[in-house]
Amino acid sequence: MRIESIALAKVRLRLVHEFQTSSHRKDHLDHILVRLTDADGTVGWGEIASPSDPYYCAETVDTAWLLATHYLAPSVLGTEAATPGELEDSWRRIRGHEFAKAGFSIAAWSLGTAQQGVPLARALGGTREEVVAGVSLGIEKTVDDLLVQVQAQVDAGYQRIKLKIAPGWDLDPVAAVRSAFPDHDVHVDANGAYGSDDETFSHLRRLDDFHLTMIEQPFAPRDFTSHARLQAVMGTPVCLDESVVTVDDLHTMLALKAGRIVNIKVSRVGGLSAARRLHDIAQEDGIPVWCGGMHEFGIGRAANVALSSLPGFVLPSDVSASSKYFRRDIIDPPITADHGVVRVPTSPGLGVHVDCGWMDAHTLESIELDVNHPNGRDTTPTERSEPWQ
């Protein structure tokens, strides 16, 4: 690979249904799409799925745009590499900013596997032709509203339901869902919303009564010790998400026994190579993993599906159909699920086609850099007549 040009587009898609976590509510998503073009014209697509606000993590769309345009793209432009991993080495000295790096990592793997003529899943070491998907449901205005949302997803064939919880919205909604759906795989996710006082520990232990698959990230990201204390007294497995960004974090979790399950998000850990390393370490230690999501558009969702095909992903992953979140995705055809099962793409690269015209219609800002214009050219839709392709 020799990267001749890089294009970035900030794209907005509206959600089918508003989504609320313990920290914020959103009705649309702004993600940054990355397009790498090789000297032979081969294209690789990636997606920077960072949140718009600094509530899930410190990164935002704005910080990712700055990193992508000022640091990542210049480091990659003109680089020659034999493998996606070698291309990732070009930005290794940049600390943090995992979401921004992940978008370029996905694009590097997409480009490299397209050139080789092999599916991304196979190149990563995937062994499955299909993966089981789960859905994630936000905090609703009432418990009845939540039950309506759960029923809709159960009717769509999904067997795993993840519920967002927060102080004041936990025991009652979970009890209602478990009562209405006694045989379903249900787990809860707090996104670090709880304190670690004794009263909170006693409160969270009551979730054991509902036979949940896991309780995900109850405490703050760096608070490994509180997670370890809770896991020691709770039967329900604790799953870490925000806490595990690096391999060192995973080793800390294992050493402290701070959880029994790991959520591996491509975006959170800095890309596909890092996600595969975490998967391999967890598998060696007998820790089950699943692939979490950031409501990715079709590009990032296809990468998640490919990763979920690896053997250690034994729990349903957040790779549900595009229609769960968007009326129309930026890939055509979109990701689909049949009774909660998603087929792993078998075409070379990501195995999906990007609808550039539809993407262009929803682009807020875009820029292109090439070897002749290393400082970039503004290609925002209002300033050009041709689609962004």
Side-chain angles (χ1 to χ4, degrees), residues 41 74 78 84 98 106 128 130 148 161 187 199-200 217 220 231 246 264 268 282 297 302 331 337 383:
E98 282 77 18
I106 294 169
R128 300 188 183 93
E130 56 187 26
V148 169
I161 305 295
H187 88 250
E199 184 178 351
T200 298
Q217 199 68 45
Q231 186 64 95
T246 68
I264 298 179
R268 189 191 74 240
F297 302 166
I331 61 169
E383 311 238 337

Side-chain angles (χ1 to χ4, degrees), residues 212-239:
L212 303 173
T213 307
M214 68 188 83
I215 174 172
E216 185 180 354
Q217 199 68 45
F219 308 118
R222 311 318 302 162
D223 194 354
F224 286 94
T225 55
S226 291
H227 286 102
R229 286 175 55 213
L230 181 66
Q231 186 64 95
V233 298
M234 195 168 190
T236 303
V238 170
C239 170

Side-chain angles (χ1 to χ4, degrees), residues 60-84:
T60 68
V61 175
D62 291 336
T63 65
W65 184 261
L66 173 67
L67 259 291
T69 56
H70 285 68
Y71 296 95
L72 288 167
S75 72
V76 171
L77 189 63
T79 297
E80 294 191 33
T83 66

